[in-house]
Amino acid sequence: MPNTLNRAPVPALLERLFDAAARDPDLWPADRPFVTAPPQERADTLDQVYMPISARGGDLLYTLVRAIRPATVVEFGTSYGVSTIYLAAGVTDNGRGHVFSTELSGTKVAAARANLAEAGLDRAVTILRGDALQTLAAVPGPVDFLLLDGWKDLCLPVLRLLEPRLAPGALVVADDTTMTSMATYLAYVRDPANGYATVDFPVEDGMELSCRTW
């Protein structure tokens, strides 16, 4: 079976992106509370910061996409396209599916598109620039796979926006679940009344894997 992650130029590209991310600068002003800043301000201030998924987390995403063979994948938070590469490799190797991703920063949209083109995966992805609560409103359903890796305080609003279009059995993956700002999201998906079977997966910074049961 094909595995794009093992074929040039993808391994070298991912290595370069992870190396760059390891040198992410701390650009947020110390006197400006992050949680009260508007999302666009956060995106513009941090447009040189990669903030990627971990390599093991990326491998998990690829494996999950190969396993469930989603027709429609939605990603909240493109950044420089590292996680998008893993998702796009999965749907490409499946021979079916498309990734819809969304990003506020114009700098990051351009960089992610260039990285996907270098990987040869750009045809599998549509990157929507702008506020996810607006751009994702038009994404067609049913959504079979959802990755939440944008601003943590917006993960639950984005999930709630897309819930009516989640297919029964859809898989929802949330990254960075060890962050305190994910507490409200985790409380929601871990409450059986909200229609998810969910498990905490121990990769770097934590992931929550939630299956839509309704």
Side-chain angles (χ1 to χ4, degrees), residues 5-190:
L5 296 179
N6 294 333
R7 295 199 302 269
V10 176
L13 172 61
L14 286 172
E15 182 178 5
R16 188 177 81 234
L17 294 173
F18 279 121
D19 284 347
R23 299 187 296 273
D24 269 349
D26 184 5
L27 296 178
W28 191 257
D31 60 348
R32 179 77 164 113
F34 184 83
V35 295
T36 60
Q40 187 67 62
E41 180 184 345
R42 301 180 200 174
D44 292 341
T45 303
L46 302 178
D47 65 0
Q48 301 300 313
V49 181
Y50 283 68
M51 297 181 287
I53 199 165
S54 68
R56 291 298 294 161
D59 289 338
L60 177 61
L61 290 180
Y62 175 83
T63 302
L64 292 171
V65 169
R66 292 303 305 271
I68 70 171
R69 301 181 61 81
T72 299
V73 176
V74 173
E75 176 185 38
F76 166 48
T78 315
S79 194
Y80 278 74
V82 174
S83 53
T84 322
I85 289 171
Y86 286 98
L87 297 171
V91 299
T92 297
D93 290 347
N94 282 344
R96 56 166 283 169
H98 194 81
V99 180
F100 295 90
S101 192
T102 185
E103 172 60 49
L104 265 175
S105 166
T107 298
K108 290 186 174 183
V109 169
R113 286 174 176 162
N115 289 331
L116 287 159
E118 182 178 341
L121 296 169
D122 48 314
R123 288 186 293 179
V125 180
T126 299
I127 299 179
L128 306 168
R129 179 181 176 181
D131 182 342
L133 295 176
Q134 297 178 13
T135 61
L136 295 181
V139 170
V143 174
D144 307 298
F145 190 105
L146 171 61
L147 172 63
L148 299 167
D149 196 22
W151 304 128
K152 304 313 167 187
D153 54 315
L154 293 179
C155 285
L156 183 54
V158 169
L159 175 63
R160 296 298 304 273
L161 171 72
L162 292 170
E163 267 184 341
R165 281 169 282 160
L166 291 180
L171 187 61
V172 180
V173 180
D175 193 32
D176 299 320
T177 53
T178 59
M179 298 177 66
T180 57
S181 50
M182 288 294 285
T184 302
Y185 173 87
L186 293 175
Y188 181 82
V189 294
R190 290 174 180 177

